[in-house]
Amino acid sequence: MARRENPEINAGSMADIAFLLLIFFLVTTTMDVDSGISKKLAEKPPKNYDPPKIKEKNIFQISINRNNELFVDGDVMELKDLKAAAIKFVDNGGGVGNPMPGETKGKECDYCGGERDPGSSDHPNKAIISIESDRATEYGTYVTVQNELLSAYSELRNKLCQKKYGISFTELEESYKDSGRKDQDLKRKVESIKLSYPQIITDLDPTSDGN
């Protein structure tokens, strides 16, 4: 009886298929990438630069300690209350602001809806939010604080834009982007709202001992 030989399997084509599948998964698979916070760093001032004097009442001091506890102007505050407190501070309108473009001197805020407390910020363009964190502060806490502050500015801008132009600032910006940033009327409106509520948020060097 003739000996029957087992047919050999050609593994070459299987290796090619496996290689193609590997390339396919590498090309089509998406990987999570941590996104940071968009920040425009201040330019280094000249040597002879004399910084302007800032009244303490125009500074909203936020501190985050190593235990991720939040302090505002020295008092403990819950994170859920930060947005409302920031809006109250920025929108206070208790005095005269810095001159707007085309103005020779500053004026009182005629669009602010705050309490006009003379002990709080004078004007949105003078209101400074200062953040100091500890080196051991969790990154997630820091980002959440930043998001609450940006949300406060967004609410103020949307409210003013709706009042002046009958559209939210978010929609106004989208319309301006859709125009390829070429519509000069939309550009003027966007810049007007931004100048009315400029985002002045500063970061101090992290501490190492916390509160």
Side-chain angles (χ1 to χ4, degrees):
M1 182 179 234
R3 192 176 198 184
R4 181 180 297 176
E5 295 182 1
N6 293 329
E8 293 183 1
I9 300 175
N10 185 359
S13 59
M14 294 185 65
D16 292 339
I17 294 173
F19 181 70
L20 291 173
L21 287 173
L22 177 61
I23 294 176
F24 173 78
F25 286 118
L26 287 174
V27 172
T28 58
T29 302
T30 58
M31 297 185 181
D32 292 334
V33 179
D34 292 334
S35 57
I37 300 173
S38 177
K39 281 277 188 177
K40 183 177 181 181
L41 299 178
E43 296 181 1
K44 186 177 180 180
K47 293 182 179 180
N48 298 329
Y49 176 72
D50 186 19
K53 294 181 180 179
I54 301 173
K55 296 179 182 178
E56 187 175 348
K57 69 174 187 173
N58 285 321
I59 303 177
F60 189 72
Q61 297 179 334
I62 300 174
S63 179
I64 315 170
N65 68 12
R66 61 176 57 246
N67 298 318
N68 299 303
E69 295 172 321
L70 187 67
F71 295 81
V72 175
D73 292 333
D75 297 325
V76 180
M77 178 175 288
E78 295 291 330
L79 188 58
K80 63 181 178 65
D81 299 322
L82 180 60
K83 177 181 174 180
I87 289 176
K88 182 179 179 181
F89 168 76
V90 174
D91 204 34
N92 179 62
V96 177
N98 292 318
M100 292 287 200
E103 296 179 348
T104 56
K105 62 179 182 178
K107 299 179 181 178
E108 293 184 356
C109 181
D110 58 1
Y111 53 84
C112 290
E115 300 176 355
R116 302 189 182 278
D117 178 5
S120 187
S121 70
D122 290 322
H123 194 280
N125 66 17
K126 281 187 175 180
I128 300 172
I129 297 180
S130 173
I131 305 175
E132 182 180 42
S133 60
D134 189 273
R135 296 187 187 280
T137 299
E138 291 181 1
Y139 181 68
T141 302
Y142 174 81
V143 171
T144 303
V145 168
Q146 289 277 357
N147 285 339
E148 289 297 305
L149 297 176
L150 294 178
S151 179
Y153 277 106
S154 179
E155 182 171 319
L156 288 170
R157 288 177 172 183
N158 280 331
K159 183 178 179 180
L160 179 61
C161 193
Q162 189 71 48
K163 181 179 179 180
K164 290 182 68 174
Y165 307 123
I167 185 175
S168 72
F169 183 68
T170 304
E171 294 173 312
L172 181 66
E173 273 197 313
E174 286 298 321
S175 297
Y176 177 52
K177 291 177 183 177
D178 291 342
S179 73
R181 302 181 185 274
K182 296 179 180 179
D183 191 312
Q184 294 303 306
D185 182 56
L186 291 177
K187 179 181 179 181
R188 178 186 57 80
K189 291 178 179 178
V190 168
E191 291 179 347
S192 172
I193 299 298
K194 285 185 175 181
L195 286 172
S196 297
Y197 287 110
Q199 292 179 357
I200 311 175
I201 303 176
T202 65
D203 287 279
L204 302 180
D205 291 335
T207 60
S208 57
D209 53 357
N211 288 303

